Amino acid sequence: MVARRIKIYFDGGCRPNPGKMETAVVTGGAATVVRDAGIGSSMDAEWLALIAALRLAQQLGLTNFVLLGDAAAVVEQANGAVRARGEGAHHLANFRALVGEGAMPAVRYIKRTQNLAGIALARG
């Protein structure tokens, strides 16, 4: 029997941009929303949400999971398809440090309408 891959949704945003950031991570029907994640850009907020999703997977001891987000640029940078520059390079370094020596986790793009974390942020 093959273990089911756990889906972890992530999303971040800010108002105005740049401005006050917020993040959300959703898995197993439970949402973790941070309404005051500091000041930064929407890209910073997306990275912080991705990093929070990875931390949650690690805290739960998950080994078979996929991180799902609607920020195409962050997903591409995390997967090495596009070079991260500026602050994105700093966030990518933090992400990779959190991964450590293990295999890079699966990070996939999904449509905004499919992102449960984005829905959780919008409800706030």
Side-chain angles (χ1 to χ4, degrees):
M1 180 176 197
V2 176
R4 187 173 63 102
R5 183 179 268 196
I6 304 298
K7 295 177 181 178
I8 303 175
Y9 300 86
F10 68 92
D11 197 17
C14 65
R15 291 182 199 107
N17 187 16
K20 182 179 169 187
M21 296 184 295
E22 55 187 16
T23 64
V25 176
V26 175
T27 192
T32 302
V33 178
V34 175
R35 293 287 175 198
D36 188 2
I39 302 296
S41 69
S42 59
M43 183 75 79
D44 293 326
E46 294 285 359
W47 268 110
L48 293 178
L50 173 57
I51 290 168
L54 177 58
R55 282 190 176 125
L56 178 63
Q58 292 173 336
Q59 289 168 359
L60 295 174
L62 301 177
T63 56
N64 188 15
F65 63 92
V66 59
L67 304 171
L68 302 167
D70 60 28
V74 170
V75 170
E76 290 171 346
Q77 291 171 22
N79 286 319
V82 172
R83 183 174 176 196
R85 300 180 187 277
E87 196 62 26
H90 172 75
H91 293 304
L92 177 59
N94 289 339
F95 180 75
R96 288 184 175 160
L98 205 58
V99 170
E101 297 298 318
M104 287 299 285
V107 182
R108 301 286 181 258
Y109 172 80
I110 57 172
K111 294 178 183 176
R112 184 173 305 255
T113 56
Q114 297 172 313
N115 192 345
L116 299 181
I119 294 166
L121 275 181
R123 287 188 179 154

